[in-house]
Amino acid sequence: MSGHMNLTLKVWRQKDAKSTGKLENYEAKDISPDMSFLEMIDVVNESLIKKGVEPIAFDHDCREGICGACSMYINGEAHGPKRAITTCQLHMRSFHDGETITIEPWRANAFPVIKDLVVDRSAFDRIIQAGGYVSVNTGVTIDANSIPIEKEIADDAMDAAACIGCGACVAACKNASATLFLSAKVSQLALLPQGQAERQIRVEAMIDQMEEEGFGNCTNTEACSAVCPKEIGQHHIARMNREFFGAKLSSPKK
Amino acid sequence: MKLDSKIPDGPLADKWTKHKFNLKLVNPANKRKYNIIVVGTGLAGASAAASLAELGYNVQSFCFQDSPRRAHSIAAQGGINAAKNYPNDGDSVYRLFYDTIKGGDYRSREANVHRLAEVSVNIIDQCVAQGVPFAREYGGLLDNRSFGGAQVSRTFYARGQTGQQLLLGAYSALSRQIHKGTVKMHTREEMLDLVMIDGQAKGIVTRNLETGTIDTHSAHAVLLCTGGYGNVFFLSTNAQGSNVTAAWRAHKHGALFANPCFTQIHPTCIPVSGDHQSKLTLMSESLRNDGRVWVPKQKADKRKASQIPENERDYFLERKYPSFGNLVPRDVASRNAKEQCDAGFGVGTSGLAVFLDFADAIKRLGEDTVRARYGNLFDMYAQITGENPYAEPMRIYPAVHYTMGGLWVDYNLSTTIPGLYALGEANFSDHGANRLGASALMQGLADGYYVIPSTVSDYLATIGPKPIDKNHPAFAEAKAKVEAQTKKLLSIKGTKTVAEYHRELGLIMWEYCGMARNDAGLRKAQVLIQELRVDFWKNVNVTGTNEELNQQLERAGRVADFLELGELMVVDALARAESCGGHFREESQTEEGEALRKDDEYCYVSAWQYTGENQPEVLHKEELNFENVKLTQRSYK
Amino acid sequence: MSWFTKTVFSTSVGRKVIMALTGLFLCTFLAVHLAGNFQLLHQDGGEAFNLYTKFMTSNPLIKAISYVNFAFILAHVVWGAYITYKNKSARSVGYAVNNPGKTSSFSSRWMGVLGTMILIFLVIHLKDFKMAYLGITKDLPMVTYTLENDEKVIVKDMFSEVNLEFHEPIVVGIYVIGMIALGFHLFHGFQSAFQSLGLRHPKYTPIIKTVGFVFWGLIPFGFAIIPLIIFFR
């Protein structure tokens, strides 16, 4: 295990949604390579409090890569230099002594900054609310095994369903597009027999909502899949596109 | 106070059906006149909010996270139990009931647990209908696995992300209701107090975490689905935000808190690497199916594991429990690891870890098979520790994982405050002194989807749909109280950070109220916690103001409550001088050093009543009657 | 608005379909155009090329297709510009430090700039040749050929004009640069069009990638090599 290190952080500080922010420099001293990135920020924050400086605000919760809360743009990359992980799973052994690390919030007009590194991702919730579900009420439904589902189909649906809604796809996309996020849900439900009844209205409604939220257009740069902590693939976007044309060409909606 | 658990009469298997018939219903046209507040959006909260809104009630849902989808249910890995008996291996509702009662070390109610087992089958149907992509066989039917040492395969799973998939199912149902306007969703809004009118719950006080606005919300019933309190230990597998505040503040209004000392400590977690550690990461206990647990026979042996010859290794679980070996239940595995480390045999830089070795499994099955079974867990381990578990054994150590205790509830999930309900991990009800693997998800969804929609109507029909007067002084008073506490926290401006207090509390709890407890240690802990609490209110430094996003202020309020809860846990552990489930009292062991339960003296639920600041809490006992199962001592020899 | 106009104007997926369909059409046009350009390499004093030019500008079906072609170029440009504008305005505050090269290809990120380069090239190209041929910028001399059936045809001597232009180093330079831009544009654009249309499958995507090489590699190379050959001939 290598020794402790000293780092310089350039962190985006912004008092609230209305203020303009700027990058501030902080020293991160005596950082263990075994720390997670967020634990490093914890250490810096404790030292800031001791100095009477307001600590850096950032979203985080589970710290094991599944809740999707943490969201930092580190040295120009969503969730930092490693692939298939979230910021909370990034460890300081990925950095070296004396390094300068720039930390910025997700940037997208659909994700306005609330404070420092905290952004408002409620647009994602509204996209799901527009149709990212199967309309079944709680009750006694048919037996779970009454509809067999091909294993490959179920696995593909699971690949899509693994999305944690962190927003790295939007952050990394040069167009701030939410297409990968949206396609993951559309694809999951389009694959499963349970999602068939609302297949057409779902994709139309969700895409309309994405438009309304002010996300950009997908231009297939594939940066989203590259940074996705759950490695959600581009074929889900292709499937969503197919679903969309199918719906547009044949749905009863005028 | 006489605790009435409202358990229906009649044969065990008929109780729930009969009870549902006896419960009053609310006329469909009247449902929209009732407001229901649901706090928390985990499995219990999201499923309850969605189900109640579907029935026609007006629901307001609250979560402190930025989205309801982030609730910590999302992190559950292993699976969800259900008595479907798809594999035809002899499972049944009764067997799931029996296993849960036994696994809980006979400290839970028969009727509740049987109901849980009954509705478990509906949960799977419901989730599949929502589009939850459970694992399937090549024939297209659902796959099941055996989990946590169960003799039958009744666990449904979605890779290692079952909690996530179930939560997203409930979240999607909730989202649908939000879209319809039947649920009003409040994100980044934390409940800080309960509003009581004439002894009944009539609303809550919240703080908007973005703006600091403190607000009141009225309702005919309030449902607390706020999860467990494992973070009282500072280090746990819980999310950073998981807290006891909502439940604790309800407790201070008169809701009894049951079995607070029952804590589950999970044996296969990644060990602490230093003082900076903010949380512990659990790895599925399925690892123990193929991994062998050992420590060096020589104390403080600093050699690399691969350099320690076979005859200098102590496979202590296999040695002590020849029939169960590495698959002993969670509490036994955890306690034995601690014993080894306390005796100086621990490994790693801290000495607080034991080896979990896959070398034999790799030799027997090949690395590819091991990778196929546990690849994601191995990757996770490598990610966190920077070590390759295929080459060197993993180091593991137990970590606080789940709290069986919680607000006392009756069969209807009602707390002792009329109109206030507790669901999921926030209540104490179904797991007794120890929870079985893959049962937490089952309970959260059972409470939310199937129990509360039936039981809450009985109360609502009784009180009637009359609107609640928001001008009642109780609302203003509750709000003023929260504002005063916030102001107080911000005004101390002492020298210690909130995190420092939290860490200190955690160390006390872990040392004295962790895997093994004794009278002297618990008494000492009580004093230490009291002192720490006094110091907190004199010397804590909460930066910033109320009128902004202030994560220090949020945490300060939560730690303040943990400082009170911690003492109650210690008091509860002191009062229960027996060993049962996750609660191991060193004074109560068999000659072989195993947990000794004392059914004659302690076969009850401890329900604690708050009596005022710095006043001792009063213990109420709900006797547990076992009419269907015979109490036996667990043995894994 | 009808469902159709609403789809292609105000949904991001619909807008991308316009880009994909017009783009793929223009790809087929490129193939046809290149086939014609190879007539320049005949050592026949320009007969094949000049006859081909005549055919391409007088056949009514081809004329009709050329109008469609221009319409598609226009649509591709207009939609492309609109998408670029929408995309720029989806992020008004950018990153201080950005490192997109690790997650996406150069081509995919510079489609707008590459497209603009191609558009500029196209304007120059049309001015140089199309307008000359139409007699707007130049008055091309006429040549007479005798066909195999002894029929005599009088056509404009486009070949000499091309020959003349392709001996100008600047013109050749512009053509080569234009074709490099086209190559990069199609490196992303060709397969991206299939993705936008939802045509992605483990079985067929490798075929699309292979055919894509023809379009981003061989065709721009073919276009660029002709002026170079003429220049050095």
Side-chain angles (χ1 to χ4, degrees):
Chain A
M1 214 99 342
S2 51
H4 285 204
M5 48 193 168
N6 296 320
L7 304 154
T8 306
L9 306 185
K10 286 167 157 333
V11 184
W12 184 262
R13 301 303 307 262
Q14 182 173 336
K15 186 154 178 46
D16 52 37
K18 286 175 219 116
S19 313
T20 51
K22 64 172 194 281
L23 287 171
E24 299 271 5
N25 286 7
Y26 301 104
E27 298 302 315
K29 290 213 158 75
D30 202 24
I31 298 301
S32 154
D34 288 332
M35 285 181 189
S36 74
F37 198 82
L38 297 186
E39 285 166 349
M40 182 274 293
I41 306 269
D42 288 342
V43 168
V44 171
N45 271 347
E46 288 291 292
S47 72
L48 290 179
I49 296 170
K50 296 284 183 194
K51 281 188 231 157
V53 180
E54 262 219 55
I56 302 155
F58 62 100
D59 264 327
H60 63 109
D61 203 20
C62 79
R63 295 205 176 189
E64 53 184 284
I66 193 74
C67 77
C70 62
S71 43
M72 293 185 188
Y73 210 75
I74 301 162
N75 280 348
E77 290 179 83
H79 293 309
K82 294 262 175 158
R83 295 289 161 253
I85 54 166
T86 56
T87 303
C88 65
Q89 294 172 295
L90 177 64
H91 280 71
M92 295 314 292
R93 66 182 75 91
S94 299
F95 299 87
H96 57 79
D97 189 33
E99 195 170 342
T100 298
I101 306 175
T102 308
I103 311 168
E104 297 175 80
W106 286 171
R107 296 288 188 195
N109 291 6
F111 288 169
V113 173
I114 294 172
K115 183 177 184 174
D116 298 344
L117 304 171
V118 178
V119 299
D120 179 354
R121 284 170 286 187
S122 54
F124 269 11
D125 287 326
R126 289 188 293 274
I127 289 175
I128 297 294
Q129 285 157 20
Y133 41 74
V134 177
S135 294
V136 284
N137 283 0
T138 306
V140 176
T141 167
I142 54 171
D143 185 86
N145 256 351
S146 56
I147 309 173
I149 303 175
E150 216 178 304
K151 182 170 163 43
E152 285 80 3
I153 301 276
D155 284 348
D156 200 13
M158 179 63 213
D159 286 341
C163 169
I164 58 173
C166 65
C169 46
V170 174
C173 175
K174 78 177 186 65
N175 312 319
S177 172
T179 304
L180 187 67
F181 168 77
L182 197 155
S183 73
K185 188 48 76 180
V186 167
S187 183
Q188 177 202 343
L189 296 177
L191 281 163
L192 297 173
Q194 289 80 12
Q196 299 309 304
E198 295 160 286
R199 203 168 158 175
Q200 296 194 323
I201 53 171
R202 173 181 309 117
V203 65
E204 290 189 276
M206 289 178 77
I207 287 183
D208 284 349
Q209 188 65 38
M210 173 171 73
E211 202 66 37
E212 206 165 294
E213 300 291 348
F215 292 102
N217 302 255
C218 173
T219 59
N220 306 327
T221 70
E222 309 193 1
C224 49
S225 291
V227 300
C228 176
K230 297 295 160 193
E231 300 182 291
I232 293 171
Q234 291 288 305
H235 68 286
H236 297 294
I237 295 184
R239 182 175 291 115
M240 181 198 77
N241 291 345
R242 287 200 296 280
E243 290 295 311
F244 181 73
F245 307 140
K248 279 295 172 194
L249 293 173
S250 67
S251 77
K253 195 177 141 196
K254 282 196 177 164
Chain B
M1 187 189 290
K2 174 88 183 81
L3 286 173
D4 180 4
S5 57
K6 301 216 173 79
I7 293 170
D9 300 332
L12 185 63
D14 300 338
K15 283 183 196 282
W16 177 229
T17 309
K18 189 179 148 204
H19 187 66
K20 277 194 284 187
F21 178 74
N22 288 333
L23 291 168
K24 287 195 207 85
L25 298 173
V26 173
N27 177 322
N30 271 348
K31 285 198 175 112
R32 64 187 161 77
K33 298 180 189 161
Y34 290 97
N35 294 317
I36 300 176
I37 282 174
V38 182
V39 186
T41 58
L43 287 181
S47 60
S51 303
L52 293 168
E54 286 161 9
L55 288 171
Y57 297 109
N58 264 319
V59 177
Q60 294 202 76
S61 172
F62 294 81
C63 67
F64 69 80
Q65 299 93 339
D66 70 322
S67 162
R69 69 181 293 155
R70 309 232 192 269
H72 197 55
S73 305
I74 202 134
Q77 298 171 0
I80 177 167
N81 287 331
K84 281 283 198 184
N85 193 30
Y86 284 154
N88 193 29
D89 56 0
D91 199 13
S92 63
V93 167
Y94 192 84
R95 187 178 293 278
L96 176 54
F97 151 77
Y98 180 83
D99 287 354
T100 308
I101 288 280
K102 181 176 177 226
D105 226 359
Y106 307 99
R107 291 296 174 265
S108 47
R109 284 189 202 127
E110 283 190 341
N112 284 57
V113 174
H114 195 275
R115 173 176 66 189
L116 177 66
E118 274 176 68
V119 301
S120 70
V121 293
N122 299 55
I123 293 171
I124 301 303
D125 298 342
Q126 182 66 31
C127 293
V128 167
Q130 287 171 342
V132 170
F134 283 120
R136 286 176 183 269
E137 309 262 19
Y138 279 100
L141 301 184
L142 293 162
D143 191 20
N144 288 115
R145 63 183 174 196
S146 159
F147 197 79
Q151 305 288 330
V152 293
S153 294
R154 63 159 77 98
T155 304
F156 295 78
Y157 64 100
R159 299 211 181 124
Q161 290 150 264
T162 318
Q164 180 201 26
Q165 293 310 312
L166 296 175
L167 181 64
L168 293 181
Y171 161 77
S172 70
L174 176 64
S175 295
R176 174 171 161 244
Q177 296 306 314
I178 296 169
H179 189 60
K180 284 183 166 180
T182 51
V183 174
K184 169 92 179 82
M185 185 69 225
H186 304 259
T187 56
R188 292 197 200 268
E189 201 159 338
E190 180 169 27
M191 170 178 165
L192 291 181
D193 210 352
L194 187 68
V195 180
M196 302 268 293
I197 299 176
D198 303 329
Q200 296 184 330
K202 292 294 179 195
I204 60 172
V205 185
T206 60
R207 178 171 177 272
N208 180 321
L209 302 184
E210 232 175 283
T211 61
T213 310
I214 292 167
D215 223 336
T216 56
H217 308 269
S218 65
H220 293 86
V222 175
L223 277 48
L224 300 186
C225 312
T226 49
Y229 48 85
N231 270 348
V232 70
F233 290 88
F234 182 72
L235 288 180
S236 77
T237 65
N238 283 6
Q240 298 294 293
S242 301
N243 66 81
V244 76
T245 290
W248 190 253
R249 298 199 182 172
H251 173 58
K252 289 166 92 167
H253 279 285
L256 266 49
F257 209 105
N259 297 337
C261 81
F262 287 167
T263 314
Q264 183 166 78
I265 296 181
H266 198 289
T268 50
C269 297
I270 298 174
V272 176
S273 67
D275 291 340
H276 55 264
Q277 193 96 19
S278 61
K279 86 153 269 160
L280 296 170
T281 305
L282 177 146
M283 296 181 294
S284 168
E285 64 184 333
S286 63
L287 285 172
R288 286 193 285 139
N289 290 338
D290 286 310
R292 297 179 70 194
V293 178
W294 63 277
V295 290
K297 282 184 180 165
Q298 189 188 318
K299 280 188 188 180
D301 192 337
K302 290 294 167 202
R303 284 178 291 174
K304 273 176 87 174
S306 49
Q307 289 161 359
I308 301 174
E310 198 60 32
N311 60 358
E312 291 178 39
R313 300 175 176 194
D314 177 14
Y315 294 90
F316 55 91
L317 290 178
E318 295 171 21
R319 171 172 57 80
K320 287 175 76 174
Y321 307 96
S323 62
F324 274 71
N326 295 298
L327 291 173
V328 290
R330 290 175 177 181
D331 54 331
V332 179
S334 296
R335 205 157 48 239
N336 277 283
K338 176 183 157 61
E339 274 170 18
Q340 294 297 327
C341 296
D342 288 352
F345 296 102
V347 299
T349 43
S350 63
L352 289 175
V354 299
F355 287 127
L356 178 64
D357 198 337
F358 288 85
D360 281 357
I362 291 172
K363 213 180 290 169
R364 189 176 73 240
L365 305 164
E367 192 171 315
D368 288 344
T369 308
V370 171
R371 193 184 303 275
R373 281 187 196 170
Y374 310 109
N376 60 336
L377 297 167
F378 277 42
D379 291 348
M380 183 164 84
Y381 182 84
Q383 191 93 72
I384 293 174
T385 61
E387 295 165 20
N388 174 9
Y390 293 99
E392 284 287 319
M394 290 182 172
R395 288 171 296 112
I396 56 165
Y397 200 63
V400 173
H401 176 51
Y402 187 89
T403 50
M404 280 73 69
L407 290 175
W408 185 91
V409 290
D410 63 16
Y411 191 69
N412 293 327
L413 304 183
S414 171
T415 68
T416 46
I417 296 174
L420 182 72
Y421 293 78
L423 283 66
E425 193 181 348
N427 73 28
F428 87 104
S429 73
D430 296 346
H431 306 297
N434 177 47
R435 179 178 63 74
L436 289 184
S439 284
L441 303 182
M442 171 172 72
Q443 187 224 336
L445 290 179
D447 288 359
Y449 282 137
Y450 292 107
V451 179
I452 200 71
S454 297
T455 59
V456 79
S457 70
D458 188 61
Y459 170 75
L460 295 175
T462 312
I463 61 168
K466 208 175 124 232
I468 291 150
D469 180 15
K470 275 277 299 256
N471 295 320
H472 191 286
F475 284 94
E477 282 163 23
K479 187 178 173 206
K481 200 173 107 195
V482 169
E483 284 168 342
Q485 198 202 27
T486 306
K487 202 175 272 178
K488 168 92 174 131
L489 283 168
L490 286 163
S491 66
I492 300 168
K493 297 283 184 246
T495 58
K496 269 168 75 174
T497 65
V498 180
E500 286 172 314
Y501 282 103
H502 195 178
R503 186 178 285 116
E504 271 183 56
L505 173 67
L507 286 174
I508 298 169
M509 296 302 295
W510 182 244
E511 183 63 29
Y512 302 107
C513 197
M515 278 180 280
R517 297 127 185 219
N518 62 53
D519 188 276
L522 289 166
R523 286 184 200 284
K524 185 173 172 196
Q526 189 176 7
V527 175
L528 290 173
I529 296 168
Q530 285 168 350
E531 287 170 0
L532 190 64
R533 191 166 63 228
V534 170
D535 189 59
F536 174 88
W537 285 103
K538 274 192 201 140
N539 197 25
V540 71
N541 179 12
V542 183
T543 53
T545 63
N546 175 55
E547 287 73 28
E548 61 179 334
L549 182 97
N550 186 340
Q551 293 172 323
Q552 291 296 311
L553 177 61
E554 291 164 27
R555 188 167 182 187
R558 295 168 192 165
V559 171
D561 293 330
F562 280 138
L563 283 164
E564 295 180 12
L565 167 79
E567 185 180 350
L568 181 63
M569 290 171 71
V570 166
V571 167
D572 184 45
L574 257 179
R576 189 174 285 275
E578 65 160 349
S579 295
C580 65
H583 171 65
F584 185 77
R585 275 292 295 265
E586 288 169 0
E587 299 89 338
S588 183
Q589 347 187 354
T590 63
E591 281 170 10
E592 297 154 309
E594 296 304 318
L596 178 65
R597 215 177 57 234
K598 294 180 179 166
D599 294 325
D600 299 341
E601 295 169 74
Y602 296 101
C603 196
Y604 58 75
V605 174
S606 306
W608 296 90
Q609 185 186 7
Y610 184 83
T611 54
E613 210 170 317
N614 296 320
Q615 298 294 313
E617 299 226 2
V618 175
L619 174 64
H620 299 270
K621 297 175 184 172
E622 180 201 339
E623 296 297 334
L624 291 167
N625 301 311
F626 293 91
E627 294 164 356
N628 298 277
V629 298
K630 195 172 148 283
L631 277 58
T632 55
Q633 287 283 356
R634 295 190 300 168
S635 172
Y636 301 97
K637 289 284 173 188
Chain C
M1 272 195 287
S2 79
W3 67 270
F4 181 78
T5 45
K6 199 163 165 254
T7 303
V8 299
F9 284 111
S10 51
T11 67
S12 67
V13 186
R15 285 190 288 262
K16 288 289 296 167
V17 174
I18 297 294
M19 291 307 283
L21 291 176
T22 54
L24 287 177
F25 179 85
L26 295 175
C27 283
T28 61
F29 163 72
L30 284 176
V32 174
H33 192 319
L34 181 63
N37 284 15
F38 280 127
Q39 312 300 321
L40 283 167
L41 300 181
H42 283 286
Q43 304 277 16
D44 61 354
E47 181 177 347
F49 182 73
N50 282 336
L51 288 176
Y52 168 78
T53 317
K54 173 72 181 173
F55 172 77
M56 291 303 279
T57 47
S58 54
N59 182 300
L61 180 67
I62 292 187
K63 272 183 100 166
I65 292 174
S66 83
Y67 290 124
V68 174
N69 195 32
F70 277 110
F72 274 31
I73 291 172
L74 190 68
H76 200 75
V77 169
V78 168
W79 257 266
Y82 182 53
I83 286 173
T84 308
Y85 162 75
K86 290 282 282 187
N87 289 348
K88 290 281 167 217
S89 47
R91 176 177 291 136
S92 27
V93 181
Y95 294 106
V97 174
N98 204 2
N99 201 353
K102 285 175 74 176
T103 53
S104 59
S105 69
F106 162 83
S107 297
S108 69
R109 292 193 311 277
W110 290 85
M111 285 301 273
V113 172
L114 294 166
T116 309
M117 285 169 72
I118 296 165
L119 182 63
I120 292 167
F121 165 80
L122 198 61
V123 170
I124 295 170
H125 175 63
L126 290 173
K127 184 192 132 296
D128 281 357
F129 296 133
K130 186 81 184 176
M131 283 163 78
Y133 190 81
L134 293 176
I136 300 168
T137 51
K138 283 206 176 138
D139 209 5
L140 296 181
M142 306 301 278
V143 284
T144 309
Y145 297 114
T146 311
L147 302 183
E148 279 169 11
N149 57 4
D150 282 346
E151 193 191 327
K152 285 191 185 330
V153 286
I154 305 168
V155 296
K156 289 186 179 175
D157 187 4
M158 191 64 195
F159 177 78
S160 305
E161 173 64 18
V162 174
N163 213 16
L164 193 70
E165 290 278 352
F166 282 175
H167 278 90
E168 292 287 331
I170 294 174
V171 175
V172 174
I174 288 171
Y175 270 72
V176 171
I177 292 168
M179 288 310 108
I180 290 172
L182 180 68
F184 277 108
H185 194 75
L186 292 184
F187 177 74
H188 174 71
F190 186 79
Q191 57 169 330
S192 171
F194 289 91
Q195 168 79 355
S196 291
L197 295 171
L199 302 172
R200 186 188 189 106
H201 192 280
K203 282 183 185 159
Y204 314 121
T205 300
I207 302 171
I208 293 172
K209 293 214 164 157
T210 311
V211 177
F213 172 69
V214 173
F215 281 90
W216 69 258
L218 298 183
I219 289 184
F221 177 77
F223 274 116
I225 201 75
I226 292 169
L228 285 170
I229 289 172
I230 294 174
F231 184 75
F232 290 108
R233 191 150 65 186

